[in-house]
């Protein structure tokens, strides 16, 4: 099972659109997918046609301990479940402030949910995706700690690379202090204005930046720039108002083509060592289960190697962020915290909110 947080502290870069459509593409291809809306704006919830103001328990109820994932998840399609959000979730940021281990509440709930029924298909997922808010507060930290991987949607704009650097600092801090397996799997270019010089330059800069990190001990040392870049496409902006994924709303559009390819690439990246495995259009449960077992073993191998890299010491001297990331003495405590209970008791860095949209 892969757990992936889609994060970017900037708003309007394509996080929600990416979670909704990658999840839909994976589910259509036979993968069992749970998506979690961690944004009080509830755009992902709306995108799946759910009403954030109805009585269904949602992410707020989960994080404040009054509902279980089994109760809160809503089936929105074949192989696809959503834990929705509502504006109430904004209050969770405040309510969780005084809770010890507030960053790992969701991680604990997911572990329990998946572990509880591990011999039944009830809570068996191939993918859990988290749509994070445009801020670096406790909700995003819950997404990062609930996940093992991060995918960063990026709009190829001026200063995009600077924003990326800041984001990676946060991922590195979380990986050092709380959740050592966390690594960045890739950067997805969204709303790409293909053919413009600015977009091409930013894409090239990101490619070079990621290439420079290869072989270093940073959590993004194996991150890839996905070849499937999401073109600007009005159908992608229209689909949420119909509560549909792009595959239901406009299956022939460029948006559908781009997100299907991106999902294939994300899926294939977990099978790299086992051979490049394309997502089949089949939703045959048996073949899906076989694939997920294979994924899990490749996944564990790469998580272990990423984690041992992280634990191996400070970043390589060529790491451009090495100079700017503070590493407090207590930061290494989580590297010695072997149980999730121990990890839970280590406080996360406090980040000031940077809500930009
Ligand atoms: N490739 C695209 N082409 C056109 N519009 C897009 C595309 N991706 C996203 N949008 C639209 O841009 C807006 C911001 O996207 P969204 O996914 O909500 O960003 P975020 O979650 O990062 O705030 C939304 O109105 C969305 O429908
Ligand atoms: Mg969003």
């Amino acid at each position: 099972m892969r757990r992936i947080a889609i994060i970017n502290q900037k708003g309007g870069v394509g996080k929600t659109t990416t979670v909704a459509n990658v999840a839909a593409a994976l589910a259509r291809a036979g993968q069992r997918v749970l998506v979690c809306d961690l944004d009080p704006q509830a755009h992902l919830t709306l995108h799946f046609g759910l009403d954030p103001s109805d009585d269904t328990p949602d992410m707020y109820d989960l994080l404040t301990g009054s509902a279980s994932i089994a109760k809160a998840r809503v089936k929105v399609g074949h192989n696809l479940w959503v834990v929705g959000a509502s504006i109430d979730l904004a209050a969770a940021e405040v309510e969780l402030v005084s809770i010890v281990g507030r960053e790992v509440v969701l991680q604990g709930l997911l572990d329990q949910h998946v572990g509880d029924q591990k011999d039944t298909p009830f809570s068996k997922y191939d993918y859990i995706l988290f749509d994070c808010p445009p801020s670096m507060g406790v909700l995003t930290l819950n997404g990062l700690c609930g996940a093992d991987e991060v995918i960063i949607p990026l709009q190829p704009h001026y200063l995009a690379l600077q924003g990326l650097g800041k984001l990676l600092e946060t991922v590195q801090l979380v990986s050092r202090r709380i959740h050592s397996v966390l690594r960045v799997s890739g950067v997805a270019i969204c709303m790409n204005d293909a053919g413009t010089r600015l977009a091409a330059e930013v894409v090239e800069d990101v490619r070079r930046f990621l290439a420079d990190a290869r072989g270093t001990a940073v959590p993004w040392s194996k991150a890839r720039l996905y070849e499937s870049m999401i073109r600007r496409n009005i159908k992608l902006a229209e689909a949420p108002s119909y509560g549909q994924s792009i595959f239901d709303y406009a299956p022939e559009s460029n948006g559908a083509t781009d997100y299907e390819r991106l999902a294939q690439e994300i899926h294939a990246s977990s099978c790299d060592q086992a051979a490049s495995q394309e997502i089949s259009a089949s939703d045959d449960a048996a073949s899906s289960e076989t694939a997920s077992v294979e994924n899990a073993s490749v996944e564990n191998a790469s998580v272990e190697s990423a984690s041992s890299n992280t634990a191996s010491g400070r970043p390589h001297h060529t790491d451009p962020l090495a100079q700017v990331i503070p590493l407090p003495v207590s930061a290494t405590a989580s590297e010695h915290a072997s149980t999730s209970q121990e990890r839970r008791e280590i406080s996360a860095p406090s980040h000031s909110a940077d809500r930009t949209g």
Side-chain angles (χ1 to χ4, degrees):
M1 179 179 59
R2 295 176 67 185
R3 298 179 175 197
I4 307 175
I6 311 296
I7 67 162
N8 193 321
Q9 76 276 30
K10 200 168 175 332
V13 296
K15 291 182 289 295
T16 301
T17 309
T18 298
V19 173
N21 292 305
V22 166
L26 290 167
R28 279 161 48 88
Q31 305 294 304
R32 287 171 62 92
V33 185
L34 174 70
V35 296
C36 297
D37 193 349
L38 280 162
D39 188 345
Q41 297 177 100
H43 290 168
L44 183 72
T45 307
L46 291 161
H47 203 317
F48 283 112
L50 302 177
D51 177 2
S53 61
D54 72 11
D55 289 340
T56 316
D58 63 17
M59 188 56 74
Y60 171 81
D61 302 291
L62 281 190
L63 294 179
T64 54
S66 57
S68 64
I69 295 177
K71 288 257 160 53
R73 70 174 191 175
V74 177
K75 189 162 189 188
V76 292
H78 186 55
N79 287 332
L80 185 57
W81 292 264
V82 178
V83 175
S86 65
I87 191 65
D88 292 349
L89 191 52
E93 294 253 21
V94 181
E95 290 177 37
L96 287 170
V97 156
S98 57
I99 308 279
V100 175
R102 59 194 174 275
E103 307 81 13
V104 289
V105 174
L106 185 57
Q107 182 194 70
L109 291 167
L110 283 166
D111 287 347
Q112 196 183 16
H113 175 62
V114 173
D116 267 357
Q117 316 261 346
K118 65 174 179 296
D119 297 326
T120 72
F122 178 76
S123 58
K124 185 177 181 318
Y125 307 105
D126 301 302
Y127 286 86
I128 301 179
L129 304 180
F130 304 89
D131 185 25
C132 295
S135 63
M136 281 301 165
V138 75
L139 295 172
T140 294
L141 286 172
N142 267 278
L144 288 174
C145 293
D148 296 331
E149 301 174 48
V150 169
I151 290 178
I152 301 172
L154 201 74
Q155 233 181 311
H157 276 178
Y158 181 59
L159 294 182
L161 206 59
Q162 195 191 47
L164 180 64
K166 291 246 171 283
L167 195 52
L168 293 172
E169 285 180 34
T170 305
V171 173
Q172 186 162 43
L173 280 171
V174 172
S175 129
R176 281 183 174 168
R177 291 186 177 184
I178 321 173
H179 190 42
S180 64
V181 299
L182 190 67
R183 69 189 195 283
V184 181
S185 295
V187 173
I189 301 295
C190 292
M191 288 184 251
N192 192 23
D193 295 311
T196 68
R197 198 166 134 198
L198 177 61
E201 281 175 7
V202 172
V203 168
E204 200 38 49
D205 283 350
V206 174
R207 204 186 296 281
R208 203 172 316 121
F209 177 83
L210 295 179
D212 284 348
R214 294 274 175 273
T216 69
V218 294
W220 56 95
S221 65
K222 291 179 181 165
R224 64 182 68 203
L225 179 65
Y226 295 111
E227 296 299 326
S228 358
M229 298 182 191
I230 311 300
R231 289 166 281 184
R232 196 176 281 282
N233 179 237
I234 190 66
K235 299 288 181 200
L236 286 166
E238 290 168 1
S241 36
Y242 295 87
Q244 290 180 332
S245 79
I246 193 65
F247 305 104
D248 292 324
Y249 178 67
E252 306 297 326
S253 63
N254 286 343
T257 306
D258 293 349
Y259 271 113
E260 182 161 27
R261 286 191 186 143
L262 178 63
Q264 283 176 345
E265 238 185 295
I266 290 169
H267 183 63
S269 67
S270 61
C271 308
D272 273 354
Q273 286 146 8
S276 179
Q277 178 183 320
E278 292 268 315
I279 292 181
S280 79
S282 150
D283 61 357
D284 170 56
S287 69
S288 136
E289 280 181 22
T290 312
S292 82
V293 170
E294 284 166 5
N295 287 356
S297 55
V298 174
E299 170 75 356
N300 288 341
S302 65
V303 165
E304 272 164 24
S305 83
S307 138
S308 61
N309 275 348
T310 308
S312 70
R314 296 176 75 87
H316 191 275
H317 68 280
T318 57
D319 164 19
L321 292 173
Q323 315 300 315
V324 295
I325 297 176
L327 180 62
V329 178
S330 64
T332 52
S334 72
E335 291 167 12
H336 302 296
S338 50
T339 66
S340 51
Q341 182 58 38
E342 283 170 334
R343 285 201 298 276
R344 242 160 254 170
E345 284 163 12
I346 296 170
S347 294
S350 59
H351 293 275
S352 56
D354 177 21
R355 190 177 290 271
T356 51

